[in-house]
Amino acid sequence: MSKADVQSGTVAGMSRLGVSSLLTLVVLLGVSLLGFFSRLFAVIRFESIIHEFDPWFNYRATYQMVTTNFYDFLNWFDELAWYPLGRIVGGTVYPGLMITAGGIHYVLNALGFTTHIQDVCVFTAPIFSGLTAIATYFLTKELWNAGAGLFAAAFIAIAPGYISRSVAGSFDNEGIAIFALQCSFFLWIRAMRTGSMFWGIMTAFCYFYMVSAWGGYVYIINLIPLHVFCLLLMGRYESKLYVSYTTFYCVGQLMAMNIPFVGFQPIKTSEHMASAGVFALLQCYGFLDYLRSKLGEKEFKRAFYLFVTICAGAIFAAVVGLTMLGVVAPWSGRFYSLFDTGYARIHIPIISSVSEHQPTMWTSFITDLHFLPAVAPAGLWYTIRHYDSAKIFLVIYAAFSCYFAGIMVRLMLTLTPVVCMLGGIALNVTFDHFFGEDNEDSQKEKAKKDAKKSEDTEEEEATPLAIKLTVVMALTGLLCQFAVHCTYITSNYYSSPSVVLASSRPDGSRNIIDDYREAYYWLRTNTDDDATIMSWWDYGYQISGMANRTTLVDNNTWNNSHIAMVGRAMASNEDDAYEIMQELGVDYVLVIFGGLLGYSGDDINKFLWMVRIAEGEHPNHIKEANYFSAQGQYTVDKSMSKTMKNCLMYKLSYYKFGDVRTHAQMSGFDRVRNVEIGHKNIKLKHLEEAYTTEHWIVRIYRVKKPSNKSRKLSHKLTQRKKKTKVARKGRKGVLSTTIPAAKGANTRQKASFEL
Amino acid sequence: MILHALLLGAAFAARAKMLVVLENDRMKEQYSSVLNQLNGKFETHYKLADDADLHLVKYGKNIYQNAVIMAPSTEQFGGDVTTKTFVEFTQNGGNLMVFASSNIGDAIRELGAEFGIEYDETGTKVMSHMNYDYERDQLQHDHSRFSLKASDSFLGGSEPIVGPPGYASLLIDNAVAMKIDKKNTLAFPIVKCNSYCYSWFPNEPISEYPMAVGRDISLLAGIQLRNNARIVFASSLSMFSNKLIRQKFVTYWDNNKNEHARYQNSVSKLAMHVFAWGSNNSGTFRISGFQHKLLDKENSRNDFYYINEEIEVVAFVEEYVDDNWEPTSLTFPQLWLDFHRLDPFIRIPFANEGGGKFRATFKVPDTYGVFNFIIWQTKLGHTYIEHKQQITVRPLRHDMYERFIASAYPYYFSSFSMMLGVTLMSFAILYHRDVSPAKKNN
């Protein structure tokens, strides 16, 4: 890191020298390798394992693809998921990730490096983060200069905001999508600068890769049209813009429609209508501009803007009208929730139930980006001051990323690259100011005449050496701090596989808690092949990936009513839940319980979301208010409500927990909620405990079959029992009609009843 | 027919073990006509109810397939036998026949309660003032031996339980009233009293409303547990004794004609059929084979189906006759098939093709998912016929759709004409030079 910044400062100075490009190459390579290696903490600390939830599905899908062929993968119908509905994987997945990993695997094996697909999957994200650094360099270089590019590349390589999604083992769409994002933006800037169809089509290809890799491609297809629209508003229309956007839009959308999951969305949904509208507007603008060039300037000038406004209005009205008529699908809830933050909470609880969909806390800006948010505004200011058609893009990019990153934690990811770029620009400008040597100043001026203005040089000349040195040293210190911070955050916060947990013992050694895999392995080896496991959807991918068993719901939350059904079963009392489970064909129920260990991400803490989601679909059966105590608190101690006490989730979580002493004074002390549980003597009627892992994190229950027996008499006998006897083995029986006598029929009296 | 089979049929086959629990050894003679028939059919073991060596289940396994408890007055069984033992015995698939009487003991009462059957108090009897046995009543005046006309009383159940129709009347004796708990969905009455009957202590004034009167009183009840174990509860033991079973006719006072009249006693027939049913020798079926495949002759895939494919399902049903599983006859009632995914998407009857083979063909619905073939038939007197098999219905492969469809021809035409147009246009633009101004200049 420190190597990168020192050198990038001098790069601007050593222009026109082969050394400069060699140095750039070396720095870029170094940065890429650094990016790769700093993501390997998880592998070194734990093992080469797929992390978290979604990556498990991606891995499973990739495995399916490399063990069969691409067409079988495209037509793969996954019967283990969403029982009994099933899932067409090929049509509901962004296949770019699987194809990328599968491709790497194929090439490696073709070259004779025999690797398992799991290792390829584990290392895909780190490899691509190296490429992202390079793409970021080119984008920044295109927008500012090579020095800023090197800064930006170095930043993005180790910025925790991006590492959080791309550590080794985090085999997720985002890992490769950020590369595609940066690359498409770079190609777009190149295309609109040069006005070449070639670069336009290259942009489209990169966009296609992005579409195939991540649903966030919508970001590109809205940001680029917005850029074009802004340029039109600013009167910066030129034929280069027309050529590049038109080729990009047509070719890009045609290719996007070839991804089965995307299908006809580019012409049918509101998310894509901005790009279509800008496309149409550009045609009108181009046509009118052509007319203007043919007609006289003056007589047409006034009418021109009027026409353009009318065209824009007409296009807008057409899009709105088509949406009203139902031809164009309105914004999906997920998209809508980005603009109305309260929307998801009310209408789609399933979206807001995900922790990564929560609004971002301010601290995470510091955690994820360290000092970059502080210097990025400076970079933005420089960009705006020296704006041109291309730099406006950076401004728009920055503005929107900031907004989205504020809405959702998850979208910190899109903010990170732009903040790195702006930070790079800011540092580059500053270092140019204070680090540039006197004799090189004039050369620098020539090299970057577009970026520099006369007042800058005046100030620069006036700066004494002492101040220069102070500033440079302070900034270098800050950069070193940045490197330390990034490494620290990466190693401590973002490198946990979350499938395997670790805690430190009092003596400082690490204690590996492997309950998840223990439970999944138990399921894999001890249950029927077609056993159906009911759990909350978070664990669906892991169960199918690790236990290879059928799940009802999983992390691909496409069917809200099915999830609500599971939520309802978890929130109902045991009898009602049993009925639902019978209907759904459930064999086992799996719950996550952290009370023994103090693991806070357990099902009791997620339970209110289950209730809310269930209430959304079954408002007559489930009421959120019933799960709160009389004081209106969500609690599991003695004051909890009756509904809470009887619900399946409570029973399954705390079954037999009352017998465990986790506290000096009392038994059944929940170490997550820090209370003594209110109901200790839990009896299960329709379920039985099948397996509980070492630290009780995963508890599995078997659903019993309906009783063979007919029902016991529901009321008391007419005749009261005379005596209660305890059964003893080998004792003699008693007959009311005989006097107790020695064995043998001869001595027995005749039965008293008549024949 | 069943009677015949039961008595003579499988004398040489490996016979099922049956435990007969008696109150005393004299009962062997008193009930010999019934017991001898059982001896012929089963490998019978006789034990006394208070025998300290009485066992039904050992090490979690049933020792006998059937148990007949002919000890109504038992207060407590000997050995390790308690109500729980009977529950375990039936849970393991054992069949049980329990006989009560007006001197019913606690053990039998608790056993009944465990399975949802309630008895009246000890000492009470079911009495009828209409068709009581005239001869006996002169000796012992309690109206507890009476005849039930088959047409008046509920001779419930289907043919597997009570055999073909043709019952005249039943001679009931010394019965304790038996009521089936309304919430007990598995139990059903086989013989009910007619509306003249009531239950009270004989020769005592009735001080309160009896526990059961008229048609509430069941005299014979059957239960088939979900594992197909069968239980028969009878409220009178002595009606099956040699003395009464051999009494071919019942004399009673006919009020209408004002004279003595006689009915034929059909208890013997009833006993044989009920014993056959209760020991799973009648109305016992199973699905011995289940196959499904594509109707398409060339392609015999059966591990999954695509939507809208025609498939054929074949089920083989066998009946337990004479200690052997034999294919069912053509008289087997209709068998139904469900194709089920949360809801039944298809529900069709099988065609009985004889030889126990049932065949159905249908078109897989236009919905993909994980389906189940379900056969689930409950018919009174029959074993539950149950079969479930999971199958995946997949959506069409990407290359299974029609390649060219007629309605798309305008689109094909437009795209090709567009390509042609662009080619011509670019040709025109590239190679056309605007010569006219030059000419003008010239």
Side-chain angles (χ1 to χ4, degrees), chain A residues 257 263-273 323 326-330:
Chain A
M257 278 158 51
F264 282 100
Q265 279 182 29
I267 51 168
K268 272 191 167 168
T269 58
S270 292
E271 283 89 342
H272 300 79
M273 279 306 118
T323 313
V327 180
V328 174

Side-chain angles (χ1 to χ4, degrees), chain A residues 91-280:
Chain A
T92 57
V93 81
Y94 291 104
L97 184 67
M98 294 91 195
I99 292 169
T100 307
I104 296 173
H105 178 253
Y106 178 79
V107 169
L108 282 179
N109 280 308
L111 291 176
F113 299 104
T114 315
T115 43
H116 191 266
I117 185 66
Q118 182 179 329
D119 295 320
V120 176
C121 292
V122 166
F123 292 105
T124 299
I127 291 170
F128 268 81
S129 54
L131 295 178
T132 309
I134 294 169
T136 306
Y137 164 76
F138 279 110
L139 176 57
T140 321
K141 190 184 167 199
E142 196 69 25
L143 289 168
W144 198 263
N145 64 19
L150 285 180
F151 266 120
F155 289 149
I156 191 86
I158 56 167
Y162 176 40
I163 284 189
S164 67
R165 295 272 158 187
S166 60
V167 290
S170 177
F171 181 55
D172 214 345
N173 295 327
E174 290 93 329
I176 63 168
I178 295 300
F179 162 70
L181 184 83
Q182 292 292 83
C183 199
S184 339
F185 285 156
F186 159 66
L187 290 167
W188 161 245
I189 299 297
R190 178 58 69 82
M192 64 146 295
R193 273 251 172 92
T194 55
S196 110
M197 274 174 87
F198 171 74
W199 288 109
I201 288 172
M202 288 309 284
T203 316
F205 269 108
C206 199
Y207 168 69
F208 172 62
Y209 184 61
M210 175 76 179
V211 174
S212 76
W214 192 34
Y217 76 88
V218 177
Y219 196 56
I220 298 185
I221 201 59
N222 281 302
L223 210 59
I224 290 178
L226 194 68
H227 181 210
V228 175
F229 188 66
C230 284
L231 291 181
L232 289 187
L233 280 185
M234 295 168 76
R236 286 176 158 263
Y237 171 81
E238 47 193 340
S239 60
K240 285 176 178 178
L241 191 67
Y242 179 84
V243 171
S244 52
Y245 183 74
T246 320
T247 37
F248 158 70
Y249 177 75
C250 294
V251 180
Q253 294 294 58
L254 272 179
M255 288 197 290
M257 278 158 51
N258 281 301
I259 302 292
F261 191 26
V262 176
F264 282 100
Q265 279 182 29
I267 51 168
K268 272 191 167 168
T269 58
S270 292
E271 283 89 342
H272 300 79
M273 279 306 118
S275 60
V278 167
F279 178 71

Side-chain angles (χ1 to χ4, degrees), chain A residues 631-650:
Chain A
Q631 290 79 36
Q633 281 173 319
Y634 176 67
T635 174
V636 293
D637 62 14
K638 281 210 174 62
S639 63
M640 71 183 157
S641 69
K642 210 179 156 197
T643 321
M644 181 71 193
K645 188 174 150 186
N646 290 326
C647 74
L648 189 68
M649 178 52 79
Y650 184 89

Side-chain angles (χ1 to χ4, degrees), chain A residues 391-559:
Chain A
K391 290 196 183 76
I392 285 166
F393 178 77
L394 190 57
V395 176
I396 298 169
Y397 186 10
F400 274 83
S401 301
C402 281
Y403 174 75
F404 289 131
I407 302 278
M408 273 190 199
V409 182
R410 182 167 127 109
L411 294 177
M412 277 301 284
L413 191 64
T414 53
L415 179 67
T416 309
V418 71
V419 166
C420 289
M421 283 155 65
L422 291 173
I425 290 169
L427 282 186
N428 177 259
V429 172
T430 322
F431 271 102
D432 272 356
H433 261 289
F434 296 103
F435 209 63
E437 287 171 34
D438 298 334
N439 57 348
E440 283 182 3
D441 272 357
S442 52
Q443 287 181 347
K444 209 190 295 169
E445 285 309 294
K446 284 169 201 161
K448 299 182 279 138
K449 48 186 173 278
D450 56 333
K452 292 272 167 186
K453 288 280 154 73
S454 54
E455 59 257 54
D456 288 345
T457 50
E458 279 162 26
E459 284 171 36
E460 203 178 326
E461 277 158 16
T463 324
L465 187 68
I467 294 183
K468 276 188 185 179
L469 272 177
T470 320
V471 171
V472 167
M473 279 172 70
L475 281 180
T476 313
L478 204 55
L479 289 172
C480 294
Q481 282 270 312
F482 177 74
V484 171
H485 170 86
C486 289
T487 316
Y488 174 78
I489 295 288
T490 308
S491 105
N492 286 315
Y493 292 88
Y494 292 141
S495 293
S496 162
S498 93
V499 177
V500 184
L501 309 167
S503 67
S504 45
R505 293 201 191 92
D507 62 354
S509 62
R510 270 155 42 90
N511 181 24
I512 299 285
I513 296 161
D514 211 355
D515 279 33
Y516 282 102
R517 286 196 294 177
E518 183 190 342
Y520 297 141
Y521 186 72
W522 184 87
L523 279 177
R524 197 185 183 101
T525 47
N526 290 286
T527 59
D528 287 341
D529 282 349
D530 58 353
T532 308
I533 321 286
M534 181 170 93
S535 72
W536 191 233
W537 59 263
D538 298 24
Y539 315 105
Y541 279 163
Q542 291 184 349
I543 293 173
S544 52
M546 284 189 253
N548 198 24
R549 289 293 175 271
T550 310
T551 54
L552 291 178
V553 292
D554 63 33
N555 311 46
N556 169 258
T557 51
W558 66 275
N559 189 329

Side-chain angles (χ1 to χ4, degrees), chain B residues 288 314-319 326-332 351-358:
Chain B
S288 60
V314 177
F316 295 93
V317 181
E318 287 181 345
E319 186 175 3
E326 287 174 7
T328 49
S329 59
L330 280 166
T331 54
F332 185 80
N352 190 345
E353 296 193 333
K357 186 181 177 191
F358 291 77

